[in-house]
Amino acid sequence: MAFTIIMILALPLAARSFVMNLEPRRTVLRVGDAQALRCSARDCVGSATFTWTSLEDKPLFARTESPSPSVSLLVMDPVTTEHENVVVCKVTCGNEMKQMFTAVKVYSFPRAPVVSGNEHMQAGEAGALTCVVSDVYPSEYLEIDWLQGETVLHTEEGKTDVSAVSSTYKRTPQPEDNGKEITCRARHGFEGMPEEQKTKETTVSLNVMYAPRDIKISEAAVVMMGMSFTLMCSAEGNPSPVTVWRRRGLAGRSVALGEGETLTVHNVTVSHTGAYECETSNSVGSVRATVNISVQTPPRNTSIAVSPSSELKEGDGVTISCHTDSVPAALLVLRRVSEGQQTELQSSPDSTSSSLTLSSVQLADSGLYQCEAVNQHGSQTASVQVSVTVYPLEVELSPGEGLVTVERGTSFTLSCRARDCPHPAFFWKSPLDAPVHSRSETQGPSSRLFLGPVEPQDERAYTCEVKCGSVLKARRTEIKVYSFPSDPVIEGVGAHVAGEMSTLRCSVRDVFPAGRLQVEWLDGDEVLLSEEGSFSSGLQNRTSTLTFTPGAGHQGRRITCRASLHMEGVPANASVRSAVTTVALHYSPRNTSIAVSPSSELKEGDGVTISCHTDSVPAGLLVLRRVSEGQQTELQSSPDSTSSSLTLSSVQLADSGLYQCEAINQHGSQTASVQLIVKAPPRNTTVQVLPSSQVQEGQNVTICCRTVSFPPPAVTLTKLGRGVELHSPDGTFVLLNLTPNDTGLYQVNVTNDLGFETEVFTISVMERQSSPPPSWNNLIFSITGLGAVAIMGTTAGLVIHHLNQARKRGVYELAKSTQQPI
Ligand SMILES: *[C@@H]1O[C@H](CO)[C@@H](O)[C@H](O)[C@H]1NC(C)=O
Ligand SMILES: *[C@@H]1O[C@H](CO)[C@@H](O)[C@H](O)[C@H]1NC(C)=O
Ligand SMILES: *[C@@H]1O[C@H](CO)[C@@H](O)[C@H](O)[C@H]1NC(C)=O
Ligand SMILES: *[C@@H]1O[C@H](CO)[C@@H](O)[C@H](O)[C@H]1NC(C)=O
Ligand SMILES: *[C@@H]1O[C@H](CO)[C@@H](O)[C@H](O)[C@H]1NC(C)=O
Ligand SMILES: *[C@@H]1O[C@H](CO)[C@@H](O)[C@H](O)[C@H]1NC(C)=O
Ligand SMILES: *[C@@H]1O[C@H](CO)[C@@H](O)[C@H](O)[C@H]1NC(C)=O
Ligand SMILES: *[C@@H]1O[C@H](CO)[C@@H](O)[C@H](O)[C@H]1NC(C)=O
Ligand SMILES: CC(=O)N[C@H]1CO[C@H](CO)[C@@H](O)[C@@H]1O
Ligand SMILES: CC(=O)N[C@H]1CO[C@H](CO)[C@@H](O)[C@@H]1O
């Protein structure tokens, strides 16, 4: 702001005039002070009148005082900024008026700056420091500087028309800034102010808050048990941090231990080993540190234990355990002291426990067992007495000691049993180092040796040896093997023929021991032959031969072969076996017979059985055949037989004939025979009239009848209505010189024992004619031929043979001419 000087010139007055004065002519006043302007009139005749006005159009905010008639004071008490004005003092003296001006300037700068924002700064966070200068006038002259030492950090000028000038200085403090001083200096640059009033300043120190840092904790330590230790922990921070101690336990849990920078633990135990954590914290934050404390101790509570018991029997299992409490872990040495000798058994470095298991203790394991625990702080020893005693082993072998006889091929088991020994060890042995090739099976206190199937080479002594700790006992059994599995077998050599030398052979299979076998031949009670065996190392097939000449009296004799095994232990029913053979002398077939059942005379359709029997040694071939009309037909052939039979379920006429049974063996043959007759009533009767049934008067006719029948039939011819019967033995009738009176019905009656059959036919005779008739003889011959053909037709194509058979079957060809008058 420009300092304005208002100059008003006083006009010179013509008349003698008074002198006026206004003091001070220019003035700079401080707000709050009491000040006065002095206006005076000198040389005024009469009384002077003073008038105070302002040039500016505003009140003067002052009172006047008049200490003398020629003086007027304008009192400003106290001075305020309202008093800034151009004050006019008018003096009237008589008619004369004079006036003078004075410019009043006002300033205010009463107080030092007030700084705030320094108390609660946060390290690292932007903070604002504020400096306020109040009641400043005129404010635009005020300049604020922020200083650190003499370094100007920030400057700010005041604004117009404010009563309080403030400046904000922004700063992000660091922990190091804590406690540093900072100054706010205000300078009023108003002209006319006394120099000493122009500057005022305030210095404050920064209070920067920050989390604890630079934490320091005691070093890790090893402490002996029973001692004490002290831990220190400190950190720097604003506000001053508080320290808390914790023990970090397992699983992340922690136990509060107390507050304060030091932590002291007395009478430490192993359980005090661990990580100790201190946490220092203030309102801004916290920081932690950890230190490990290890409590160490020499070996203590060292113990040695024997499980299950320290009183042991040989072969028992035992576990010897060693334990100690030691930090750091110790070297655990387990040793046995026996008869002044120390034997180290186990050495376990870095251990607090160790164990040694003896699966099967021996006598020599008895003694004092010591467990010594050693670490760098000391050592400790524990000991226990272990005593081992033996078991009173008893061994039993079954079958018992001595000889045992076993049949070859059977299975055999030797059982060995140990008593009073919990864990016996079994060993099966046999002499000559022969391997015990059989299986053995051990279960708990017994062991079994399986022999089987037993062979002669298994014959030897077997020893069961049992070891129970240091005790060894054995039992022995000797095995004898026998083999006599089957009865003897007798075979004949060649045929026994009376008077000729015969041989019998008796075989005994697979015998052992062969030297003990006796073979005897007996005829009833008479011993014919006795043979002893000879030694053989294995199974043997024995054969004994008996030679003799049978007489006729030997037929049917029973010869016995008896084999006896003379050996102890073989069951009585298995030691003697025998076979019997009956002497059978050979001869040719005799008493050969053939029989027909039920009868040898049969009706067609009956059933019949033809049986053949012979007596022959040896049995031979039986042949059954039929002989008919000189022809032989073989019906059956049965080799190696003494009887045979043939059954015909339904006999036919053709089955008639002579039946022969021939028996044949190497010594000869014999034949028997029987006649079989089959009967049938007449049937299939046919009648033929030749040359024709229609003839001329004077001609002859031949009537031929054919029939099937046995026995042969009687045939009669009758002219029906006339009653005359003609008989023919062969079924042929010749009617001579016929007349028309012969015309009519004729009947043929064919009859045998079993029945009859009739045929009726017609003959018609015509009156004579002139032409001569054909020759009758010629006609008969041709008719005979025709008849034969007809018979062949009925026997279904079996030509000559059947012609021969035809008669036998009773087919009668009634074709022979027999002239007989009717
Ligand atoms: C440490 O143990 C001893 C003996 O047991 C005892 O007298 C002493 O008071 C204990 N000290 C503290 C601090 O517990
Ligand atoms: C303290 O002990 C713990 C566990 O035994 C280990 O992990 C940690 O590193 C140790 N601390 C120090 C500082 O040795
Ligand atoms: C270990 O020995 C101490 C005395 O030395 C005893 O108090 C504590 O019971 C013992 N601990 C065991 C497990 O034997
Ligand atoms: C004895 O004879 C039988 C039958 O001929 C035969 O299988 C067997 O092997 C024979 N045994 C000996 C020991 O020769
Ligand atoms: C001997 O007799 C016993 C019993 O009496 C029987 O089991 C066995 O089969 C007999 N042996 C012979 C070879 O007959
Ligand atoms: C036929 O056998 C009988 C008894 O069976 C006998 O008496 C007769 O002598 C035997 N005939 C012949 C030839 O052997
Ligand atoms: C007899 O006649 C019947 C039919 O009537 C026939 O089946 C049979 O073969 C004849 N028998 C003979 C021996 O001619
Ligand atoms: C056939 O002859 C027999 C015996 O002479 C007789 O019994 C029978 O009655 C005769 N048949 C006829 C039909 O004449
Ligand atoms: C016609 C004819 O041949 N008649 C004869 C019948 O049989 C007698 C006796 O054999 C003869 O004498 C006839 O001549
Ligand atoms: C030729 C002949 O004998 N004729 C006789 C036929 O029968 C009658 C009656 O019986 C006779 O009278 C004929 O003489």
Side-chain angles (χ1 to χ4, degrees):
M1 179 197 262
F3 198 80
T4 309
I5 301 170
I6 301 169
M7 288 274 261
I8 300 171
L9 295 176
L11 296 173
L13 294 174
R16 163 110 175 134
S17 59
F18 67 96
V19 178
M20 104 167 262
N21 199 15
L22 180 61
E23 286 176 330
R25 290 306 304 272
R26 303 170 60 190
T27 185
V28 174
L29 303 180
R30 183 166 73 177
V31 172
D33 288 355
Q35 292 288 344
L37 294 179
R38 189 171 186 274
C39 192
S40 63
R42 188 169 44 94
D43 298 338
C44 174
V45 182
S47 61
T49 308
F50 296 91
T51 306
W52 296 84
T53 61
S54 86
L55 209 57
E56 296 172 24
D57 186 17
K58 66 176 192 183
L60 287 171
F61 299 107
R63 62 177 151 66
T64 55
E65 281 179 18
S66 199
S68 70
S70 57
V71 175
S72 178
L73 298 174
L74 185 67
V75 179
M76 293 166 283
D77 185 15
V79 174
T80 71
T81 55
E82 303 291 344
H83 293 118
E84 192 164 73
N85 217 331
V86 176
V87 177
V88 180
C89 179
K90 281 184 190 160
V91 182
T92 309
C93 184
N95 295 331
E96 197 180 2
M97 193 270 291
K98 290 185 180 177
Q99 62 181 11
M100 290 180 82
F101 310 88
T102 185
V104 177
K105 295 287 176 189
V106 176
Y107 74 92
S108 175
F109 185 24
R111 277 182 284 277
V114 175
V115 177
S116 63
N118 63 316
E119 282 302 325
H120 297 286
M121 303 195 83
Q122 295 271 0
E125 281 179 26
L129 292 172
T130 305
C131 183
V132 177
V133 187
S134 54
D135 300 328
V136 177
Y137 187 86
S139 57
E140 61 268 30
Y141 286 89
L142 196 77
E143 189 182 272
I144 295 178
D145 285 336
W146 290 92
L147 297 154
Q148 193 160 12
E150 283 311 309
T151 311
V152 177
L153 303 170
H154 181 65
T155 299
E156 207 164 312
E157 288 185 353
K159 296 193 182 74
T160 317
D161 286 339
V162 291
S163 73
V165 175
S166 67
S167 169
T168 300
Y169 167 52
K170 290 196 173 143
R171 174 156 181 163
T172 300
Q174 297 307 317
E176 295 76 20
D177 294 332
N178 187 41
K180 285 201 179 149
E181 293 195 329
I182 197 153
T183 303
C184 177
R185 180 185 288 166
R187 223 187 109 72
H188 213 306
F190 196 60
E191 198 177 329
M193 278 175 68
E195 200 55 38
E196 70 280 2
Q197 291 185 14
K198 277 189 172 176
T199 301
K200 292 189 192 309
E201 62 180 36
T202 302
T203 296
V204 295
S205 61
L206 297 181
N207 187 25
V208 179
M209 302 207 281
Y210 58 93
R213 54 176 205 162
D214 294 340
I215 188 162
K216 291 184 181 64
I217 191 163
S218 306
E219 289 191 352
V222 168
V223 184
M224 286 304 292
M225 199 167 80
M227 310 297 277
S228 57
F229 65 88
T230 298
L231 298 177
M232 314 258 301
C233 177
S234 65
E236 176 206 344
N238 185 24
S240 291
V242 174
T243 301
V244 177
W245 288 94
R246 288 190 207 94
R247 248 301 278 302
R248 270 229 296 275
L250 296 172
R253 280 186 307 179
S254 51
V255 183
L257 297 174
E259 275 186 27
E261 291 197 341
T262 64
L263 173 73
T264 300
V265 179
H266 297 285
N267 285 2
V268 297
T269 68
V270 174
S271 67
H272 288 108
T273 293
Y276 287 78
E277 180 185 84
C278 78
E279 177 173 4
T280 71
S281 57
N282 62 11
S283 56
V284 184
S286 68
V287 63
R288 298 169 186 203
T290 302
V291 62
N292 283 352
I293 294 298
S294 160
V295 179
Q296 298 196 343
T297 164
R300 292 169 307 130
N301 284 12
T302 303
S303 61
I304 182 165
V306 182
S307 167
S309 158
S310 59
E311 298 287 324
L312 299 164
K313 284 258 167 51
E314 254 195 343
D316 284 353
V318 71
T319 298
I320 299 164
S321 313
C322 213
H323 181 84
T324 189
D325 291 338
S326 151
V327 184
L331 172 69
L332 281 179
V333 178
L334 183 68
R335 50 175 88 86
R336 182 180 60 234
V337 184
S338 173
E339 315 201 348
Q341 291 271 339
Q342 283 199 351
T343 311
E344 186 173 312
L345 303 174
Q346 199 182 46
S347 173
S348 313
D350 298 330
S351 305
T352 55
S353 65
S354 70
S355 76
L356 175 71
T357 296
L358 303 173
S359 59
S360 170
V361 294
Q362 301 302 313
L363 269 184
D365 293 326
S366 293
L368 185 72
Y369 283 76
Q370 281 186 340
C371 172
E372 186 179 14
V374 185
N375 75 3
Q376 64 261 47
H377 304 297
S379 73
Q380 195 175 33
T381 301
S383 59
V384 67
Q385 184 73 42
V386 172
S387 66
V388 179
T389 53
V390 299
Y391 280 99
L393 172 69
E394 287 300 331
V395 177
E396 283 172 21
L397 184 59
S398 152
E401 285 195 56
L403 278 179
V404 178
T405 306
V406 181
E407 186 176 2
R408 178 232 169 205
T410 58
S411 294
F412 184 72
T413 305
L414 278 172
S415 300
C416 189
R417 190 173 178 82
R419 293 194 189 284
D420 296 325
C421 177
H423 301 293
F426 290 89
F427 305 95
W428 288 95
K429 291 183 175 170
S430 69
L432 305 170
D433 285 338
V436 177
H437 69 274
S438 321
R439 296 182 296 125
S440 73
E441 186 181 278
T442 299
Q443 253 184 352
S446 59
S447 177
R448 296 195 295 170
L449 180 70
F450 300 102
L451 299 168
V454 174
E455 291 297 334
Q457 55 269 28
D458 294 326
E459 189 172 270
R460 68 180 84 111
Y462 291 87
T463 302
C464 173
E465 208 172 83
V466 184
K467 198 166 189 297
C468 188
S470 58
V471 180
L472 184 72
K473 285 187 181 170
R475 290 289 181 272
R476 178 175 175 281
T477 282
E478 188 169 351
I479 291 190
K480 289 287 180 195
V481 177
Y482 76 91
S483 173
F484 189 18
S486 54
D487 289 339
V489 175
I490 300 176
E491 292 165 308
V493 180
H496 302 299
V497 180
E500 291 177 21
M501 186 153 50
S502 272
T503 301
L504 284 178
R505 198 174 279 159
C506 181
S507 310
V508 189
R509 281 189 52 188
D510 297 332
V511 177
F512 184 85
R516 299 292 191 89
L517 188 77
Q518 181 188 28
V519 179
E520 292 167 300
W521 290 95
L522 301 158
D523 181 359
D525 291 335
E526 183 194 350
V527 178
L528 303 176
L529 179 69
S530 176
E531 285 180 351
E532 300 292 331
S534 57
F535 173 79
S536 167
S537 64
L539 297 180
Q540 202 185 52
N541 283 349
R542 275 279 306 281
T543 301
S544 171
T545 304
L546 176 72
T547 304
F548 69 111
T549 305
H554 277 98
Q555 180 69 293
R557 281 275 186 84
R558 290 163 60 82
I559 306 286
T560 301
C561 172
R562 182 167 71 193
S564 313
L565 188 65
H566 298 292
M567 182 176 166
E568 207 180 314
V570 179
N573 64 349
S575 64
V576 179
R577 291 169 177 274
S578 57
V580 177
T581 186
T582 304
V583 176
L585 294 176
H586 279 200
Y587 48 84
S588 65
R590 59 189 184 191
N591 271 10
T592 303
S593 64
I594 182 163
V596 182
S597 169
S599 160
S600 62
E601 284 207 357
L602 299 162
K603 274 189 272 178
E604 202 178 34
D606 285 351
V608 68
T609 299
I610 302 158
S611 312
C612 213
H613 182 80
T614 192
D615 175 13
S616 91
V617 179
L621 179 67
L622 274 183
V623 179
L624 182 66
R625 52 173 92 85
R626 182 177 63 229
V627 183
S628 176
E629 320 223 333
Q631 294 271 342
Q632 285 198 351
T633 310
E634 186 174 312
L635 303 173
Q636 201 180 44
S637 174
S638 313
D640 299 329
S641 304
T642 56
S643 66
S644 70
S645 76
L646 175 71
T647 296
L648 303 172
S649 61
S650 172
V651 294
Q652 300 300 313
L653 281 178
D655 293 326
S656 292
L658 184 72
Y659 283 77
Q660 285 186 338
C661 172
E662 187 179 13
I664 309 161
N665 74 2
Q666 64 260 50
H667 303 292
S669 73
Q670 194 179 33
T671 302
S673 58
V674 67
Q675 186 74 43
L676 188 69
I677 296 166
V678 180
K679 292 180 177 178
R683 57 185 156 90
N684 289 23
T685 303
T686 58
V687 175
Q688 273 186 314
V689 182
L690 299 171
S692 167
S693 61
Q694 291 189 339
V695 292
Q696 289 202 340
E697 188 179 1
Q699 287 195 322
N700 303 333
V701 295
T702 301
I703 298 159
C704 299
C705 295
R706 284 193 298 129
T707 191
V708 176
S709 161
F710 190 88
V715 185
T716 61
L717 177 69
T718 312
K719 179 146 191 285
L720 291 179
R722 215 181 301 159
V724 181
E725 266 188 8
L726 297 180
H727 294 266
S728 168
D730 60 359
T732 303
F733 301 90
V734 178
L735 301 184
L736 298 174
N737 200 15
L738 292 177
T739 66
N741 271 3
D742 294 323
T743 298
L745 287 176
Y746 293 79
Q747 178 185 272
V748 170
N749 187 347
V750 182
T751 311
N752 77 1
D753 301 353
L754 302 177
F756 66 86
E757 192 172 42
T758 61
E759 285 289 319
V760 175
F761 59 96
T762 307
I763 293 176
S764 53
V765 183
M766 290 169 290
E767 299 222 0
R768 186 183 301 276
Q769 289 184 355
S770 54
S771 60
S775 162
W776 196 213
N777 278 334
N778 289 349
L779 208 54
I780 288 172
F781 280 117
S782 70
I783 289 164
T784 304
L786 273 174
V789 170
I791 291 161
M792 282 168 66
T794 61
T795 54
L798 302 172
V799 188
I800 296 302
H801 182 65
H802 280 246
L803 265 179
N804 290 330
Q805 283 192 331
R807 215 169 303 154
K808 171 200 71 191
R809 285 191 293 168
V811 178
Y812 286 85
E813 190 185 331
L814 306 176
K816 217 192 272 174
S817 290
T818 310
Q819 281 185 328
Q820 246 182 324
I822 295 176

